[in-house]
Amino acid sequence: MDDYELVIGLEAHAQLRTRSKMYCACPADYQDAAPNTRVCPVCLGLPGSLPVINREAIKSIVKIGLALHCSIAERSKFDRKNYPYPDLMKGYQISQYDLPVCADGRLDVEVDGAARRVGIERVHMEEDVAKLSHLSDPASGEGYSLIDVNRSGVPLVEMVTRPDIRSAEEARQCLMAYQTILRYLGVSTANMDEGSFRCDANVSIRPKGSEAFGTKVEVKNMNSFRSVFRAIEHEAERQAETLRSGGRVVQETRGWLEDKGVTVSLRSKEEANDYRYFPEPDLPPLSIAPAWVAEIAELLPELPEERKRRFIAEHGLPAYDASLLTASPGLADYYEAAVAAARAQGGTERTAKAAANWTITELGRLANEAHIEIHESPVTPERLAELLGLLESGELGTAQAKRAVEAMFQTDKSARDVMTDLGLQQITDSGELAGAAAQAVADNPQAVADYLAGKETAAKFLVGQVMKATRGKANPSVAAELVAERLNAMKAQE
Ligand code: ADP
Ligand code: ZN
Ligand code: MG
């Protein structure tokens, strides 16, 4: 790839979390429903039935457009996209062709510390299709397909970027940033493994320094952010290999095979569908009043980019921590609640940073192992705040706090209860520690001799022995002071 530059444009589909479907009154929530129970003549595509526009879906797509800094069309319309496939009940999909609801936006991401701006070509409204299951009869081995129409007509928003993306990592970051925005807006669950968020990547390469774009290949069937990354990397490498060996990249659609780690041809340009788009005659053109758009803009929540900037300014966080903590609205809310609780409990300036560290590192690890979100853990923001207070007051040392947070995660108890139950209180009382210090010095004549011979690090070893004897509960600076006192007394006696 060294001689070539990657050029990528993404097309992402997100299902909207509206109550009803896009063009009928059937519930849009189909995940737990028995097959073909959320259907009506409209979404079954029965002749004579008439679609109606879902106002809530339009409100959602306007929110998305605003969040992506798009212009919102005052006049929009729906078009029929025709193609014959069994998942399409009507033989066409009601989509949008030349007048999408949103156009000309942008998405800002950070890739390896560098700010990147990716243009958004359009965001348009369409509908999902039925779900096919391809099976085979165990007795005869004959193949057959089942069709579940519940998903048919669920509102789907397609977002198309300009070919501004220059690496697989940048593509992954763009998708994650878009997913985060959808979740902040609350318009979609945007879940890749549930299928409520899907992505196709258009990939081409060109010689470094060249202006002209190369021939693009559309890659489909990626089921995770990781597979988007891998598929793009692999496809770029395949194209480079083709060019290096004197071949030509052909315009086609390829599918990503996760297990094999390769893309394979699905159909060439010649076999591409001609969708014969034409205006949907059963729906009126869509007028979107600027006043309504302004009203929606007023209701937008604080978005990830703003929230990240505020976290940096208000809580003094490094950009990287702020990015991690604002990656989902639930996590950002958790963090802010923990900071607020810590302040209410008398926390100092440092608390906000400590809260970030403990949330990202310890809680992040525990939640990851338990396959839950941090904000779903038994360690509530209030409990984390109490833990931070115990750390700040010196009642808990860092190592004990780590044990405490693990126990809190497992037992659903408060920081103080866990500290008492497990006897984790830090020993700061010099009277209590003096014995351990004396013992360490008495038990380790070699270390003492080394120290007296000028090897200062031997003192550290002795402090370590005190920590060990108290099972890590000694306050390390008090322990160090006591050891130093003893050693200095011995030095004076020499
Ligand atoms: P089509 O006519 O096939 O729909 P478009 O020009 O509308 O093609 O672009 C579809 C998607 O492909 C967009 O996301 C766009 O950014 C991307 N794209 C267009 N040209 C290229 C290219 N040369 N390399 C990579 N992606 C491209
Ligand atoms: Zn219906
Ligand atoms: Mg196009």
Side-chain angles (χ1 to χ4, degrees):
M1 267 309 289
D2 286 352
D3 309 333
Y4 298 102
E5 178 179 52
L6 243 175
V7 174
I8 304 156
L10 296 174
E11 296 168 283
H13 285 91
Q15 284 177 347
L16 296 180
R17 272 173 56 179
T18 49
R19 245 179 309 128
S20 53
K21 291 187 181 179
M22 188 58 219
Y23 307 112
C24 62
C26 293
D29 170 22
Y30 64 91
Q31 297 279 3
D32 298 323
N36 301 311
T37 55
R38 306 256 154 127
V39 295
C40 74
V42 173
C43 55
L44 280 167
L46 299 187
S49 63
L50 287 174
V52 181
I53 301 169
N54 181 332
R55 183 184 167 90
E56 199 54 32
I58 302 302
K59 190 174 175 183
S60 297
I61 195 174
V62 167
K63 285 183 187 172
I64 296 169
L66 289 171
L68 295 174
H69 310 278
C70 291
S71 44
I72 310 298
E74 280 189 59
R75 299 279 293 169
S76 183
K77 74 172 172 63
F78 293 91
D79 301 276
R80 283 191 185 179
K81 181 179 179 178
N82 302 279
Y83 63 94
Y85 201 68
D87 64 4
L88 208 51
M89 302 316 290
K90 302 186 287 289
Y92 57 86
Q93 180 189 35
I94 307 180
S95 179
Q96 298 197 282
Y97 184 56
D98 53 344
L99 292 176
V101 175
C102 325
D104 295 325
R106 62 181 144 84
L107 185 60
D108 290 320
V109 290
E110 209 179 281
V111 185
D112 300 325
R116 297 278 307 151
R117 176 161 287 183
V118 173
I120 305 297
E121 187 181 308
R122 58 189 283 152
V123 184
H124 70 253
M125 195 70 244
E126 54 185 41
E127 58 177 329
D128 212 340
V129 296
K131 193 173 169 178
L132 299 178
S133 308
H134 305 289
L135 306 160
S136 77
D137 186 273
S140 65
E142 210 173 320
Y144 64 98
S145 297
L146 295 179
I147 181 160
D148 179 3
V149 186
N150 285 349
R151 196 178 68 181
S152 180
V154 167
L156 208 56
V157 164
E158 176 169 352
M159 184 277 280
V160 182
T161 79
R162 296 196 187 282
D164 291 348
I165 301 166
R166 293 291 173 269
S167 71
E169 178 57 14
E170 194 175 325
R172 202 177 70 94
Q173 293 292 340
C174 271
L175 268 189
M176 292 200 298
Y178 181 49
Q179 180 193 52
T180 303
I181 288 173
L182 293 171
R183 290 179 171 174
Y184 269 62
L185 294 172
V187 295
S188 175
T189 53
N191 207 323
M192 271 189 125
D193 33 77
E194 270 174 18
S196 58
F197 191 60
R198 303 164 221 158
C199 164
D200 303 332
N202 298 275
V203 181
S204 69
I205 61 171
R206 60 181 174 188
K208 278 208 174 122
S210 153
E211 284 284 316
F213 285 146
T215 304
K216 76 172 196 290
V217 167
E218 186 177 0
V219 187
K220 291 181 169 298
N221 301 340
M222 291 86 78
N223 292 321
S224 66
F225 291 114
R226 195 177 121 77
S227 49
V228 170
F229 177 90
R230 288 179 67 212
I232 293 172
E233 289 261 287
H234 168 271
E235 175 57 22
E237 197 48 60
R238 189 194 65 84
Q239 292 181 15
E241 198 51 55
T242 304
L243 295 184
R244 270 199 298 269
S245 59
R248 260 177 351 105
V249 173
V250 291
Q251 188 172 333
E252 61 180 344
T253 303
R254 298 180 69 89
W256 169 246
L257 300 183
E258 181 74 33
D259 307 342
K260 300 210 170 94
V262 297
T263 62
V264 291
S265 185
L266 295 180
R267 57 179 174 270
S268 69
K269 192 186 181 182
E270 286 69 41
E271 299 157 311
N273 293 307
D274 170 4
Y275 295 123
R276 294 178 294 119
Y277 278 101
F278 63 86
E280 168 59 58
D282 290 341
L283 287 174
L286 185 62
S287 304
I288 305 172
W292 189 51
V293 174
E295 232 172 78
I296 296 171
E298 281 296 309
L299 295 174
L300 284 191
E302 185 182 33
L303 290 165
E305 272 303 303
E306 296 166 56
R307 201 164 193 187
K308 180 181 159 190
R309 276 197 297 273
R310 186 167 61 75
F311 275 20
I312 294 170
E314 217 166 89
H315 304 309
L317 299 184
Y320 182 72
D321 292 10
S323 296
L324 290 178
L325 290 170
T326 51
S328 86
L331 178 58
D333 289 345
Y334 176 91
Y335 170 70
E336 289 217 287
V339 172
R343 294 235 164 94
Q345 294 172 26
T348 67
E349 281 297 294
R350 291 201 315 272
T351 316
K353 269 190 182 160
N357 287 340
W358 283 84
T359 303
I360 293 167
T361 320
E362 291 305 310
L363 284 175
R365 178 176 61 77
L366 292 164
N368 210 10
E369 284 167 9
H371 303 288
I372 60 169
E373 300 292 323
I374 289 173
H375 57 271
E376 296 164 349
S377 98
V379 185
T380 61
E382 292 71 27
R383 286 177 176 177
L384 176 63
E386 189 186 37
L387 181 86
L388 297 174
L390 295 172
L391 261 165
E392 205 157 287
S393 68
E395 282 172 86
L396 276 178
T398 307
Q400 282 67 43
K402 283 184 187 169
R403 282 184 58 197
V405 86
E406 257 169 49
M408 289 160 72
F409 200 91
Q410 257 98 50
T411 62
D412 196 10
K413 282 186 182 165
S414 77
R416 190 170 286 283
D417 286 350
V418 160
M419 178 178 77
T420 315
D421 289 358
L422 301 181
L424 297 173
Q425 289 94 329
Q426 180 160 256
I427 309 170
T428 45
D429 180 61
S430 45
E432 238 176 283
L433 289 180
Q439 196 67 44
V441 168
D443 289 351
N444 296 283
Q446 188 56 50
V448 173
D450 289 349
Y451 180 83
L452 295 177
K455 195 175 159 198
E456 306 247 326
T457 51
K460 283 223 177 78
F461 170 80
L462 294 168
V463 174
Q465 296 309 109
V466 177
M467 299 305 294
K468 210 166 155 186
T470 56
R471 296 184 38 241
K473 292 191 298 185
N475 177 307
S477 44
V478 177
E481 256 168 53
L482 291 168
V483 167
E485 254 170 44
R486 296 220 151 236
L487 291 174
N488 290 336
M490 292 169 90
K491 205 171 200 168
Q493 276 172 20
E494 272 193 327

